[in-house]
Amino acid sequence: MPLNKPSRRLVIAGAAAFMLPISGRALTPADAQSYVQQVVDVFFGILASGASEATILTRFEREFTGYTDVDVIARTVLGPPYRSLNNRQKRDFTSAFGRYLARKYGRQMMQYGNAEITITRAQDAGRKGILVSTQVRNRGQSPFLLQWQVSDGSGQTKLINLIIEGISLLTTERGEIRNLLDARGGDVSALTAYLSTQ
Amino acid sequence: MNTKNKIFNWLIRAGLVLSLGACAGAQNLAPDEIYDPFESTNRSIHAFNKLVDTAVLSPVSEVYGTVVPEELRTVVDNTARNFGQPNAFINHILQGNGDGASDTLARFLINSTIGLAGLFDPAAEMGIFDAPTDFGETLAVWGVAEGPYLELPIMGPSTVRGTIGIAVDLAIDPLNYLITREQAYYLLALRGVNLVGKRNAYDDLINVLLYESADSYAAQRLSYMQNKRFAVQGETAIDDLEDPYAFE
């Protein structure tokens, strides 16, 4: 039948159109770019506010944990040991880790509080989200590349990694957390206790 | 000539190590994989370097940062960097990197003239930024594998490929053939002062690595290798990105 093929296509197209709203609109490079612009404005607004270091870090921690998917970062950085934790241990580890991460990176970013930050590129990395590149220029220093990996894998648009001149937060912290855990004989509770003092 | 003989001796030995290194490290490594067969020696050297930093470099750089005004520190940094441009230019050419070579040449010409012999960096104000490189990166472009990780005394993290690069850079730096022996001493002194300046400028980052991480040797090694591989690739490869949602 001549109508057979087109109608089958029509059915598939109709089904696909019907399914679209369910899967949701994928995050586009433009979305990720405006998200990063917002994050940069908020983060560096705090870092350059001129308040005391303690105040800056407290405020930075709140915003950082809001814009970052700390859950997924904590899970992937701890790796296999995460699976054997109970829900309460998971929650405690994640919250201590988020605090540690925010304070560590907040302190490091503080010296770039007054830097000029320009978005230079947004690359679609498929399932891995969008990689937004920014150029950071501090007075009297060569500019460097700071990249923000953004994903809506959790259902919400969030930061999932920061890459500074090729040095990835996920890779670096996975190494660090593994070393910290090894130094505590693999005891995640001891690690959690340590992280919450940082 | 005695010095020339020494250099050739070095090159022959370097060539031997190079071929060994290339064979030993030819495998393709994942972003967080590091080939470190000399770890115990490296760790001893790391302990020594850390001691030097704690006892000398860090306190001296703190004084340097307090006593020397920022403007002067920038001048020292600019000048030391300007003297590095001829060697970077040669390496960009050897790598076939036209943009890197022309930027480096333009920076050298602009900063040596308008920038008063490199004291200032007007090229950066014009948007021509520093594109540092070395012979280790040239070897990488030529397809030589990084080889085993090495921590060098005083100079810090490197690889077999990077170490050979340092030796070759000493031999091919055109500046060495243009300046007098006395000028060479001044240049060495300038680079020494600038090392202190760099320790001061990156104080926070270095302190996090050396004094706040669980294992400073492993932390420094991981940072160095990630940064070096990025410098060689020239960009972050999308394929190397992680999908953290893949881990359940």
Side-chain angles (χ1 to χ4, degrees), chain A residues 162-169 172, chain B residues 222-224 226-227 230:
Chain A
L162 281 177
I163 305 170
I164 306 148
E165 287 281 310
I167 303 173
S168 142
L169 177 151
T172 302
Chain B
L222 187 55
S223 286
Y224 171 81
Q226 289 186 78
N227 179 249
F230 162 80

Side-chain angles (χ1 to χ4, degrees), chain A residues 69 142 147 165 168 174 176, chain B residues 81 214 226-227 236 242 245:
Chain A
D69 192 344
S142 293
Q147 293 171 303
E165 287 281 310
S168 142
R174 186 173 294 126
E176 181 66 9
Chain B
R81 205 159 354 144
Q226 289 186 78
N227 179 249
T236 302
E242 280 193 50
Y245 295 102

